[in-house]
Amino acid sequence: AGREHMEKYGSQPEHFAWIGWKNHSHSKNNPYAQFQTEYSLEEINEAREIYSPLTKLQCSPTSDGSAAAIVASERFVEQHDLWDRAIEIVGQAMITDMSSTFDSASSINVVGADMSRVAGRQALEEAEVDIADVDVVELHDCFSANELITYEALGLAGEGEGHLLVEREATTYGGDGPVVNPSGGLISKGHPLGATGLAQASELTWQLRGDADERQVDGAKLALQHYIGLGGAAVVTVYGQPS
């Protein structure tokens, strides 16, 4: 899919490498991350090649982990006086394999771009917000190429323009877009499969509570989570302050 994006839209290996660098850089402030080492961009580029154009430091590792989450009704929150801690799920959608997954001969769709696009649109519509309103995103960066492709699927960039976000360094602290994967993402935080989604949910809950310490996104009020599994489903969830 990364190669297809390069051929169609002109992205370069350096764009994917920057995403790996960004996520490893973010994870140095995450005590829950599997890896907390900050690498130079040169080290990302020169790491062992796994599958061109991706190097080892642009790929999610083998991980073990477990997770649990509490989902409470408004009545429970009220009864236990938890409004100062509660974070609300304001939109959510799951999309399974679409005909375009199999019919388009596009690797970008095979890895879930169309599913992510539809799920993202539906979740944002249910939340009655726009992607431009989102402050912080945790998305499924199993490989750096997937993060770049998902920028486009979620509407953070136009089709074929995900690498332009990279050139602007828009998706890290101080950029002009939402901070993407402040946890370090799957690439550096780790990817223990079933627990990964709840790790994303936890990170976004901490961000919206203001409890993310050194990786806190200033003024975070609205968050989006993107999770995907091939064979195949994509889930997008929008979180906000209780209304």
Side-chain angles (χ1 to χ4, degrees):
R3 290 177 176 179
E4 180 182 337
H5 196 279
M6 292 168 63
E7 293 168 2
K8 283 185 175 179
Y9 305 119
S11 55
Q12 298 296 320
E14 292 76 15
H15 294 113
F16 303 117
W18 182 86
I19 290 172
W21 170 84
K22 169 184 70 73
N23 290 345
H24 280 287
S25 177
H26 287 177
S27 74
K28 73 179 186 292
N29 292 320
N30 184 0
Y32 302 106
Q34 183 173 354
F35 300 107
Q36 297 170 40
T37 301
E38 184 173 12
Y39 297 93
S40 68
L41 193 54
E42 182 180 17
E43 288 174 313
I44 300 289
N45 276 307
E46 293 182 356
R48 180 166 61 90
E49 184 179 275
I50 300 299
Y51 189 88
S52 180
L54 305 182
T55 67
K56 179 180 178 180
L57 295 176
Q58 299 172 59
C59 304
S60 59
T62 301
S63 307
D64 291 322
S66 60
I70 296 172
V71 181
S73 66
E74 289 188 0
R75 183 177 66 178
F76 182 92
V77 172
E78 182 71 35
Q79 287 175 342
H80 296 274
D81 193 24
L82 295 173
W83 287 114
D84 64 331
R85 307 294 293 160
I87 297 301
E88 185 175 9
I89 297 173
V90 294
Q92 188 174 63
M94 182 179 77
I95 298 296
T96 56
D97 281 325
M98 304 167 62
S99 59
S100 60
T101 307
F102 309 101
D103 295 344
S104 66
S106 167
S107 294
I108 291 173
N109 282 337
V110 169
V111 300
D114 273 2
M115 289 192 291
S116 299
R117 183 174 295 107
V118 175
R121 184 174 67 244
Q122 291 184 2
L124 290 165
E125 287 176 353
E126 182 179 15
E128 298 181 342
V129 297
D130 187 85
I131 189 64
D133 300 319
V134 173
D135 302 302
V136 57
V137 175
E138 283 281 314
L139 62 76
H140 199 272
D141 61 315
C142 45
F143 304 95
S144 59
N146 292 70
E147 177 164 330
L148 190 147
I149 289 164
T150 305
Y151 290 163
E152 300 172 16
L154 295 177
L156 294 169
E159 183 178 353
E161 297 180 348
H163 57 297
L164 302 184
L165 288 184
V166 170
E167 292 177 2
R168 300 202 315 268
E169 299 187 358
T171 56
T172 189
Y173 298 87
D176 60 4
V179 176
V180 176
N181 288 331
S183 68
L186 282 57
I187 285 174
S188 195
K189 175 193 64 188
H191 184 22
L193 300 184
T196 298
L198 289 184
Q200 293 177 318
S202 298
E203 176 66 25
L204 295 177
T205 296
W206 295 326
Q207 289 285 345
L208 295 182
R209 286 176 176 169
D211 289 343
D213 299 324
E214 293 184 41
R215 65 189 185 283
Q216 180 65 50
V217 176
D218 289 342
K221 301 295 183 186
L222 194 70
L224 183 144
Q225 175 188 0
H226 163 268
Y227 190 80
I228 194 165
L230 300 186
V235 181
V236 174
T237 306
V238 182
Y239 301 89
Q241 308 290 342
S243 57

